[in-house]
Every structure is written in structure tokens, then in C-alpha cells.
mmCIF file of all heavy atoms in Angstrom:
data_model
loop_
_atom_site.group_PDB
_atom_site.id
_atom_site.type_symbol
_atom_site.label_atom_id
_atom_site.label_comp_id
_atom_site.label_asym_id
_atom_site.label_seq_id
_atom_site.Cartn_x
_atom_site.Cartn_y
_atom_site.Cartn_z
ATOM 1 N N VAL A 845 -103.914 91.517 42.452
ATOM 2 C CA VAL A 845 -102.528 92.249 42.671
ATOM 3 C C VAL A 845 -101.504 91.039 42.756
ATOM 4 O O VAL A 845 -100.496 91.062 42.205
ATOM 5 C CB VAL A 845 -102.498 93.104 43.930
ATOM 6 C CG1 VAL A 845 -101.067 93.668 44.165
ATOM 7 C CG2 VAL A 845 -103.555 94.182 43.861
ATOM 8 N N TYR A 846 -101.737 90.082 43.674
ATOM 9 C CA TYR A 846 -100.818 89.041 43.905
ATOM 10 C C TYR A 846 -100.585 88.099 42.610
ATOM 11 O O TYR A 846 -99.512 87.412 42.548
ATOM 12 C CB TYR A 846 -101.120 88.113 45.136
ATOM 13 C CG TYR A 846 -100.738 88.846 46.398
ATOM 14 C CD1 TYR A 846 -101.696 89.372 47.333
ATOM 15 C CD2 TYR A 846 -99.422 88.865 46.755
ATOM 16 C CE1 TYR A 846 -101.305 90.019 48.401
ATOM 17 C CE2 TYR A 846 -98.984 89.477 47.874
ATOM 18 C CZ TYR A 846 -99.819 90.041 48.746
ATOM 19 O OH TYR A 846 -99.532 90.613 49.998
ATOM 20 N N SER A 847 -101.543 88.115 41.712
ATOM 21 C CA SER A 847 -101.317 87.306 40.557
ATOM 22 C C SER A 847 -100.331 88.005 39.558
ATOM 23 O O SER A 847 -99.945 87.344 38.611
ATOM 24 C CB SER A 847 -102.703 86.917 39.853
ATOM 25 O OG SER A 847 -103.285 88.072 39.308
ATOM 26 N N ASN A 848 -100.159 89.298 39.762
ATOM 27 C CA ASN A 848 -99.395 90.041 38.858
ATOM 28 C C ASN A 848 -98.012 90.512 39.490
ATOM 29 O O ASN A 848 -97.025 90.731 38.822
ATOM 30 C CB ASN A 848 -100.085 91.398 38.418
ATOM 31 C CG ASN A 848 -101.089 91.086 37.408
ATOM 32 O OD1 ASN A 848 -100.865 90.950 36.245
ATOM 33 N ND2 ASN A 848 -102.292 90.857 37.769
ATOM 34 N N PHE A 849 -97.932 90.590 40.888
ATOM 35 C CA PHE A 849 -96.784 91.044 41.582
ATOM 36 C C PHE A 849 -96.561 90.127 42.834
ATOM 37 O O PHE A 849 -97.585 89.877 43.520
ATOM 38 C CB PHE A 849 -96.968 92.496 41.995
ATOM 39 C CG PHE A 849 -97.246 93.397 40.898
ATOM 40 C CD1 PHE A 849 -98.460 93.799 40.633
ATOM 41 C CD2 PHE A 849 -96.245 93.872 40.082
ATOM 42 C CE1 PHE A 849 -98.790 94.704 39.493
ATOM 43 C CE2 PHE A 849 -96.465 94.756 38.965
ATOM 44 C CZ PHE A 849 -97.766 95.090 38.699
ATOM 45 N N ARG A 850 -95.408 89.789 43.049
ATOM 46 C CA ARG A 850 -95.083 88.865 44.276
ATOM 47 C C ARG A 850 -95.417 89.555 45.595
ATOM 48 O O ARG A 850 -95.871 88.974 46.500
ATOM 49 C CB ARG A 850 -93.618 88.441 44.317
ATOM 50 C CG ARG A 850 -93.273 87.298 43.377
ATOM 51 C CD ARG A 850 -91.832 86.941 43.490
ATOM 52 N NE ARG A 850 -90.973 88.138 43.157
ATOM 53 C CZ ARG A 850 -89.837 88.470 44.083
ATOM 54 N NH1 ARG A 850 -89.554 87.702 45.017
ATOM 55 N NH2 ARG A 850 -89.189 89.512 43.665
ATOM 56 N N ASN A 851 -95.118 90.819 45.601
ATOM 57 C CA ASN A 851 -95.343 91.694 46.871
ATOM 58 C C ASN A 851 -95.266 93.161 46.581
ATOM 59 O O ASN A 851 -95.094 93.600 45.370
ATOM 60 C CB ASN A 851 -94.294 91.246 47.884
ATOM 61 C CG ASN A 851 -92.800 91.408 47.363
ATOM 62 O OD1 ASN A 851 -92.503 92.247 46.580
ATOM 63 N ND2 ASN A 851 -92.024 90.382 47.604
ATOM 64 N N LYS A 852 -95.304 94.013 47.577
ATOM 65 C CA LYS A 852 -95.408 95.383 47.405
ATOM 66 C C LYS A 852 -94.110 95.990 46.784
ATOM 67 O O LYS A 852 -94.083 96.845 46.010
ATOM 68 C CB LYS A 852 -95.770 95.990 48.843
ATOM 69 C CG LYS A 852 -95.625 97.583 48.812
ATOM 70 C CD LYS A 852 -96.150 98.030 50.153
ATOM 71 C CE LYS A 852 -95.800 99.380 50.427
ATOM 72 N NZ LYS A 852 -96.228 99.836 51.822
ATOM 73 N N ASP A 853 -92.839 95.259 47.219
ATOM 74 C CA ASP A 853 -91.711 95.691 46.757
ATOM 75 C C ASP A 853 -91.512 95.550 45.295
ATOM 76 O O ASP A 853 -90.944 96.327 44.627
ATOM 77 C CB ASP A 853 -90.580 95.071 47.576
ATOM 78 C CG ASP A 853 -90.354 95.540 49.018
ATOM 79 O OD1 ASP A 853 -90.946 96.555 49.354
ATOM 80 O OD2 ASP A 853 -89.928 94.750 49.773
ATOM 81 N N GLU A 854 -91.966 94.386 44.801
ATOM 82 C CA GLU A 854 -91.936 94.176 43.353
ATOM 83 C C GLU A 854 -92.746 95.146 42.567
ATOM 84 O O GLU A 854 -92.346 95.763 41.579
ATOM 85 C CB GLU A 854 -92.397 92.814 42.972
ATOM 86 C CG GLU A 854 -92.221 92.464 41.529
ATOM 87 C CD GLU A 854 -92.657 91.098 41.089
ATOM 88 O OE1 GLU A 854 -93.230 90.371 41.940
ATOM 89 O OE2 GLU A 854 -92.557 90.761 39.828
ATOM 90 N N LEU A 855 -93.895 95.565 43.077
ATOM 91 C CA LEU A 855 -94.802 96.468 42.499
ATOM 92 C C LEU A 855 -94.077 97.856 42.586
ATOM 93 O O LEU A 855 -94.093 98.595 41.520
ATOM 94 C CB LEU A 855 -96.115 96.504 43.219
ATOM 95 C CG LEU A 855 -97.165 97.687 42.783
ATOM 96 C CD1 LEU A 855 -97.385 97.636 41.302
ATOM 97 C CD2 LEU A 855 -98.468 97.586 43.666
ATOM 98 N N CYS A 856 -93.448 98.102 43.609
ATOM 99 C CA CYS A 856 -92.719 99.485 43.797
ATOM 100 C C CYS A 856 -91.584 99.524 42.832
ATOM 101 O O CYS A 856 -91.371 100.574 42.134
ATOM 102 C CB CYS A 856 -92.163 99.551 45.163
ATOM 103 S SG CYS A 856 -91.365 101.138 45.591
ATOM 104 N N LEU A 857 -90.922 98.406 42.476
ATOM 105 C CA LEU A 857 -89.757 98.409 41.567
ATOM 106 C C LEU A 857 -90.265 98.674 40.155
ATOM 107 O O LEU A 857 -89.654 99.439 39.437
ATOM 108 C CB LEU A 857 -89.021 97.059 41.649
ATOM 109 C CG LEU A 857 -88.170 96.776 42.868
ATOM 110 C CD1 LEU A 857 -87.710 95.380 42.960
ATOM 111 C CD2 LEU A 857 -86.974 97.711 42.842
ATOM 112 N N VAL A 858 -91.464 98.070 39.783
ATOM 113 C CA VAL A 858 -91.991 98.367 38.531
ATOM 114 C C VAL A 858 -92.374 99.897 38.327
ATOM 115 O O VAL A 858 -92.135 100.517 37.350
ATOM 116 C CB VAL A 858 -93.276 97.522 38.274
ATOM 117 C CG1 VAL A 858 -94.005 97.875 36.987
ATOM 118 C CG2 VAL A 858 -92.927 96.046 38.250
ATOM 119 N N VAL A 859 -92.955 100.523 39.414
ATOM 120 C CA VAL A 859 -93.143 101.912 39.412
ATOM 121 C C VAL A 859 -91.891 102.736 39.269
ATOM 122 O O VAL A 859 -91.826 103.671 38.470
ATOM 123 C CB VAL A 859 -93.983 102.316 40.620
ATOM 124 C CG1 VAL A 859 -94.068 103.927 40.814
ATOM 125 C CG2 VAL A 859 -95.345 101.658 40.569
ATOM 126 N N LEU A 860 -90.797 102.316 39.934
ATOM 127 C CA LEU A 860 -89.586 103.043 39.954
ATOM 128 C C LEU A 860 -89.090 102.899 38.459
ATOM 129 O O LEU A 860 -88.431 103.919 38.041
ATOM 130 C CB LEU A 860 -88.631 102.464 40.914
ATOM 131 C CG LEU A 860 -88.695 102.942 42.351
ATOM 132 C CD1 LEU A 860 -87.619 102.245 43.188
ATOM 133 C CD2 LEU A 860 -88.469 104.452 42.416
ATOM 134 N N ASP A 861 -89.135 101.714 37.914
ATOM 135 C CA ASP A 861 -88.625 101.616 36.417
ATOM 136 C C ASP A 861 -89.351 102.623 35.524
ATOM 137 O O ASP A 861 -88.646 103.245 34.745
ATOM 138 C CB ASP A 861 -88.966 100.215 35.949
ATOM 139 C CG ASP A 861 -87.953 99.147 36.562
ATOM 140 O OD1 ASP A 861 -86.912 99.569 37.114
ATOM 141 O OD2 ASP A 861 -88.300 97.939 36.512
ATOM 142 N N ARG A 862 -90.596 102.876 35.759
ATOM 143 C CA ARG A 862 -91.296 103.798 34.983
ATOM 144 C C ARG A 862 -90.844 105.187 35.261
ATOM 145 O O ARG A 862 -90.562 106.028 34.278
ATOM 146 C CB ARG A 862 -92.870 103.719 35.260
ATOM 147 C CG ARG A 862 -93.656 102.738 34.631
ATOM 148 C CD ARG A 862 -95.124 103.047 35.051
ATOM 149 N NE ARG A 862 -95.995 102.158 34.244
ATOM 150 C CZ ARG A 862 -97.276 102.422 34.295
ATOM 151 N NH1 ARG A 862 -97.824 103.354 35.095
ATOM 152 N NH2 ARG A 862 -98.088 101.582 33.605
ATOM 153 N N LEU A 863 -90.594 105.523 36.491
ATOM 154 C CA LEU A 863 -90.225 106.889 36.791
ATOM 155 C C LEU A 863 -88.811 107.154 36.283
ATOM 156 O O LEU A 863 -88.505 108.241 35.786
ATOM 157 C CB LEU A 863 -90.258 107.103 38.390
ATOM 158 C CG LEU A 863 -91.614 107.060 38.947
ATOM 159 C CD1 LEU A 863 -91.562 107.183 40.555
ATOM 160 C CD2 LEU A 863 -92.581 108.169 38.348
ATOM 161 N N TYR A 864 -87.930 106.147 36.365
ATOM 162 C CA TYR A 864 -86.591 106.296 35.915
ATOM 163 C C TYR A 864 -86.530 106.497 34.341
ATOM 164 O O TYR A 864 -85.792 107.246 33.811
ATOM 165 C CB TYR A 864 -85.665 105.091 36.260
ATOM 166 C CG TYR A 864 -85.371 104.932 37.811
ATOM 167 C CD1 TYR A 864 -84.873 103.799 38.246
ATOM 168 C CD2 TYR A 864 -85.701 105.987 38.652
ATOM 169 C CE1 TYR A 864 -84.638 103.599 39.701
ATOM 170 C CE2 TYR A 864 -85.344 105.806 40.035
ATOM 171 C CZ TYR A 864 -84.843 104.669 40.542
ATOM 172 O OH TYR A 864 -84.565 104.482 41.824
ATOM 173 N N ALA A 865 -87.359 105.672 33.727
ATOM 174 C CA ALA A 865 -87.446 105.687 32.295
ATOM 175 C C ALA A 865 -87.934 107.156 31.831
ATOM 176 O O ALA A 865 -87.292 107.772 30.876
ATOM 177 C CB ALA A 865 -88.362 104.626 31.688
ATOM 178 N N GLU A 866 -88.950 107.644 32.482
ATOM 179 C CA GLU A 866 -89.339 109.063 32.185
ATOM 180 C C GLU A 866 -88.263 109.994 32.410
ATOM 181 O O GLU A 866 -88.135 110.878 31.561
ATOM 182 C CB GLU A 866 -90.658 109.353 33.134
ATOM 183 C CG GLU A 866 -91.908 108.673 32.830
ATOM 184 C CD GLU A 866 -92.911 108.909 33.872
ATOM 185 O OE1 GLU A 866 -92.730 109.822 34.703
ATOM 186 O OE2 GLU A 866 -93.999 108.223 33.862
ATOM 187 N N ARG A 867 -87.594 109.871 33.489
ATOM 188 C CA ARG A 867 -86.561 110.972 33.812
ATOM 189 C C ARG A 867 -85.447 110.827 32.785
ATOM 190 O O ARG A 867 -84.945 111.900 32.369
ATOM 191 C CB ARG A 867 -85.955 110.447 35.177
ATOM 192 C CG ARG A 867 -85.698 111.808 36.042
ATOM 193 C CD ARG A 867 -85.406 111.351 37.450
ATOM 194 N NE ARG A 867 -86.529 111.215 38.238
ATOM 195 C CZ ARG A 867 -86.602 110.696 39.496
ATOM 196 N NH1 ARG A 867 -85.435 110.292 40.028
ATOM 197 N NH2 ARG A 867 -87.674 110.590 40.112
ATOM 198 N N ILE A 868 -84.970 109.620 32.387
ATOM 199 C CA ILE A 868 -83.868 109.543 31.306
ATOM 200 C C ILE A 868 -84.328 110.146 30.034
ATOM 201 O O ILE A 868 -83.711 110.892 29.329
ATOM 202 C CB ILE A 868 -83.461 108.125 31.173
ATOM 203 C CG1 ILE A 868 -82.712 107.571 32.408
ATOM 204 C CG2 ILE A 868 -82.596 107.926 29.992
ATOM 205 C CD1 ILE A 868 -81.463 108.264 32.803
ATOM 206 N N ALA A 869 -85.637 109.873 29.709
ATOM 207 C CA ALA A 869 -86.248 110.291 28.369
ATOM 208 C C ALA A 869 -86.184 111.876 28.460
ATOM 209 O O ALA A 869 -85.958 112.590 27.486
ATOM 210 C CB ALA A 869 -87.573 109.806 28.137
ATOM 211 N N GLU A 870 -86.640 112.484 29.596
ATOM 212 C CA GLU A 870 -86.645 113.962 29.708
ATOM 213 C C GLU A 870 -85.362 114.657 29.620
ATOM 214 O O GLU A 870 -85.200 115.605 29.005
ATOM 215 C CB GLU A 870 -87.400 114.407 31.014
ATOM 216 C CG GLU A 870 -88.824 114.021 31.003
ATOM 217 C CD GLU A 870 -89.527 114.326 32.294
ATOM 218 O OE1 GLU A 870 -89.006 115.065 33.103
ATOM 219 O OE2 GLU A 870 -90.682 113.838 32.402
ATOM 220 N N ILE A 871 -84.327 113.954 30.282
ATOM 221 C CA ILE A 871 -82.924 114.422 30.195
ATOM 222 C C ILE A 871 -82.449 114.403 28.749
ATOM 223 O O ILE A 871 -81.817 115.307 28.186
ATOM 224 C CB ILE A 871 -82.044 113.718 31.188
ATOM 225 C CG1 ILE A 871 -82.504 114.044 32.621
ATOM 226 C CG2 ILE A 871 -80.568 114.171 30.940
ATOM 227 C CD1 ILE A 871 -81.709 113.256 33.644
ATOM 228 N N GLY A 872 -82.784 113.225 28.215
ATOM 229 C CA GLY A 872 -82.376 113.059 26.648
ATOM 230 C C GLY A 872 -83.027 114.115 25.792
ATOM 231 O O GLY A 872 -82.312 114.617 24.914
ATOM 232 N N ARG A 873 -84.190 114.396 26.013
ATOM 233 C CA ARG A 873 -84.874 115.487 25.273
ATOM 234 C C ARG A 873 -84.211 116.883 25.526
ATOM 235 O O ARG A 873 -83.991 117.637 24.611
ATOM 236 C CB ARG A 873 -86.377 115.546 25.577
ATOM 237 C CG ARG A 873 -87.193 114.487 24.879
ATOM 238 C CD ARG A 873 -88.633 114.833 24.969
ATOM 239 N NE ARG A 873 -89.229 114.547 26.351
ATOM 240 C CZ ARG A 873 -89.527 113.386 26.794
ATOM 241 N NH1 ARG A 873 -89.450 112.334 26.072
ATOM 242 N NH2 ARG A 873 -90.044 113.311 28.025
ATOM 243 N N ALA A 874 -83.801 117.130 26.721
ATOM 244 C CA ALA A 874 -83.161 118.400 27.106
ATOM 245 C C ALA A 874 -81.885 118.619 26.294
ATOM 246 O O ALA A 874 -81.497 119.610 25.865
ATOM 247 C CB ALA A 874 -82.896 118.490 28.554
ATOM 248 N N PHE A 875 -81.181 117.410 26.083
ATOM 249 C CA PHE A 875 -79.835 117.347 25.423
ATOM 250 C C PHE A 875 -79.893 117.058 23.998
ATOM 251 O O PHE A 875 -78.917 116.546 23.469
ATOM 252 C CB PHE A 875 -78.917 116.525 26.195
ATOM 253 C CG PHE A 875 -78.251 117.242 27.364
ATOM 254 C CD1 PHE A 875 -78.732 117.002 28.689
ATOM 255 C CD2 PHE A 875 -77.184 118.190 27.217
ATOM 256 C CE1 PHE A 875 -78.252 117.697 29.785
ATOM 257 C CE2 PHE A 875 -76.686 118.835 28.328
ATOM 258 C CZ PHE A 875 -77.176 118.591 29.521
ATOM 259 N N SER A 876 -81.003 117.358 23.350
ATOM 260 C CA SER A 876 -81.091 116.968 21.960
ATOM 261 C C SER A 876 -81.524 118.294 21.212
ATOM 262 O O SER A 876 -82.492 119.014 21.593
ATOM 263 C CB SER A 876 -82.152 115.876 21.640
ATOM 264 O OG SER A 876 -83.427 116.268 22.111
ATOM 265 N N GLY A 877 -80.864 118.641 20.115
ATOM 266 C CA GLY A 877 -81.263 119.779 19.336
ATOM 267 C C GLY A 877 -80.726 121.042 19.935
ATOM 268 O O GLY A 877 -80.602 121.245 21.073
ATOM 269 N N GLY A 878 -80.419 122.038 19.057
ATOM 270 C CA GLY A 878 -80.019 123.376 19.438
ATOM 271 C C GLY A 878 -78.516 123.330 19.716
ATOM 272 O O GLY A 878 -77.789 122.226 19.704
ATOM 273 N N THR A 879 -78.003 124.475 20.192
ATOM 274 C CA THR A 879 -76.640 124.574 20.576
ATOM 275 C C THR A 879 -76.427 123.896 21.975
ATOM 276 O O THR A 879 -77.410 123.545 22.636
ATOM 277 C CB THR A 879 -76.190 126.007 20.772
ATOM 278 O OG1 THR A 879 -76.934 126.643 21.912
ATOM 279 C CG2 THR A 879 -76.528 126.846 19.429
ATOM 280 N N LEU A 880 -75.097 123.645 22.328
ATOM 281 C CA LEU A 880 -74.757 123.127 23.679
ATOM 282 C C LEU A 880 -75.471 124.043 24.742
ATOM 283 O O LEU A 880 -75.898 123.559 25.656
ATOM 284 C CB LEU A 880 -73.344 122.967 23.810
ATOM 285 C CG LEU A 880 -72.907 122.263 24.970
ATOM 286 C CD1 LEU A 880 -73.554 120.928 25.071
ATOM 287 C CD2 LEU A 880 -71.323 122.095 24.975
#
């Protein structure tokens, strides 16, 4: 773990990046195609 992440907070930030990217992608899909 420590050879890949400095500490728990850095690991947490990587997880948050994933969650945020998923969220943005899902909102993007909601607003693509079809009428407004």
C-alpha cells in the first residue's frame, strides 16, 4: 500500500477521483440524446 500511496488520504483522493468521474459521466449520459 505504502509503495503505491503516501498515506490514507492520498488513497482516498484516488477513490474520490473515480467516484467524481463516474458521476460526471452519468450526468453527461443523462443530458445526451433525445429532447431537452
Side-chain angles (χ1 to χ4, degrees):
V845 179
Y846 277 110
S847 69
N848 284 278
F849 305 98
R850 283 182 302 134
N851 52 40
K852 179 175 161 181
D853 289 339
E854 182 182 5
L855 177 54
C856 186
L857 288 169
V858 172
V859 170
L860 280 177
D861 287 342
R862 275 188 174 187
L863 295 176
Y864 292 166
E866 287 173 12
R867 221 169 274 173
I868 291 298
E870 288 175 19
I871 295 171
R873 280 192 289 275
F875 277 101
S876 63
T879 66
L880 187 56

